[in-house]
Amino acid sequence: MATVPVLNDLGKQVGERDLSEEIFEAKVSVPLMHQVVLAGMASIRRGTHKVKTRGEVSGGGRKPWRQKGTGRARQGSSRSPQWTGGGVAHGPLPRDHSMRVNKKMRRGALRGALTDSLQSGKLVLIQELSFDEPKTKRAAELLDTLDLTGKVLVVLFLLTDTAATEKSFRNLEGVRVAYAKSLGVYELIAADKILFTESALTVVEGAPAGPTTSAGGDAE
């Protein structure tokens, strides 16, 4: 069974936590993760891109010149696609870009991303993140203490309980805040380091989100 050190806000190890084999020893399928990420990116596309066809642009009702005798190619409208200011042929029209991905695929991709994060040493576990009020400076100092650089993903438990914590981190460059119940595959893959609170990790593993105790550590 895989384990991960539990750190406090001073960067010192205060315990060790066993990780769920089902979540953190899953098969890492790159094609599956790619498909789920692609579907997620496609779902946020608005799909409102639109061009006007020759029937929608204004003007062009009159034939530019007579059919025969001018020596020029015959033209029926100055709003044909080959004319400047004319309509666009085969251009983009409003559409739904969403792709269908079932729950089993999403779960498999998420587990694979979490397993890869652990194997690559990106995952860091802290006892708790508690901010009485938003303090960006304190959040930056905490990341320096934990030696978290680059693109950092901070995974929290609940918005209602951690609003001040989120506000403390979200203005830092390269830092993204996510919540355990809505954690996405792309967020995990894109991050250089992933900082979990114990309560958030408990939710990800599917256990009740109550106080947790680390082996050799204190209760959160």
Side-chain angles (χ1 to χ4, degrees):
M1 178 178 289
T3 61
V4 63
V6 181
L7 309 178
N8 60 16
D9 54 4
L10 298 177
K12 296 182 179 180
Q13 182 173 343
V14 294
E16 196 171 69
R17 173 164 174 155
D18 295 331
L19 298 176
S20 169
E21 295 181 4
E22 182 181 6
I23 304 298
F24 290 96
E25 294 184 20
K27 178 182 178 181
V28 180
S29 173
V30 175
L32 177 59
M33 290 191 292
H34 175 265
Q35 185 173 354
V36 171
V37 169
L38 199 64
M41 299 298 288
S43 66
I44 63 177
R45 295 184 64 178
R46 298 181 63 185
T48 55
H49 36 30
K50 172 72 169 68
V51 297
K52 290 185 178 182
T53 64
R54 60 179 293 171
E56 295 171 322
V57 293
S58 61
R62 178 184 176 185
K63 188 174 176 65
W65 49 76
R66 59 194 177 95
Q67 183 80 347
K68 296 179 179 292
T70 65
R72 290 179 290 184
R74 55 192 174 187
Q75 300 291 333
S77 171
S78 60
R79 291 299 176 260
S80 297
Q82 71 270 21
W83 283 69
T84 300
V88 177
H90 311 298
L93 298 173
R95 54 165 291 199
D96 181 11
H97 289 274
S98 62
M99 302 168 59
R100 183 176 176 82
V101 177
N102 61 43
K103 292 182 180 179
K104 184 177 181 180
M105 295 173 66
R106 293 183 189 277
R107 286 196 296 265
L110 182 61
R111 291 171 181 173
L114 288 167
T115 299
D116 179 70
S117 298
L118 177 65
Q119 293 175 349
S120 59
K122 297 197 301 184
L123 194 147
V124 178
L125 182 61
I126 191 171
Q127 274 188 311
E128 62 178 342
L129 290 173
S130 179
F131 287 74
D132 296 329
E133 59 180 342
K135 288 289 185 182
T136 303
K137 181 179 179 180
R138 181 186 163 198
E141 291 173 348
L142 176 63
L143 294 181
D144 288 339
T145 301
L146 298 177
D147 194 24
L148 300 180
T149 57
K151 296 179 181 179
V152 180
L153 177 65
V154 180
V155 185
L156 305 176
F157 172 40
L158 284 176
L159 174 60
T160 54
D161 297 336
T162 55
T165 304
E166 180 189 2
K167 291 178 181 179
S168 299
F169 283 96
R170 69 185 183 185
N171 285 333
L172 294 173
E173 184 178 358
V175 177
R176 182 182 178 90
V177 178
Y179 288 89
K181 288 188 176 181
S182 58
L183 191 59
V185 177
Y186 177 76
E187 295 173 316
L188 295 170
I189 296 175
D192 297 320
K193 290 291 183 179
I194 305 169
L195 179 63
F196 273 95
T197 62
E198 278 203 280
S199 55
L201 184 60
T202 300
V203 172
V204 170
E205 290 183 327
T212 56
T213 304
S214 304
D218 301 323
E220 182 179 1

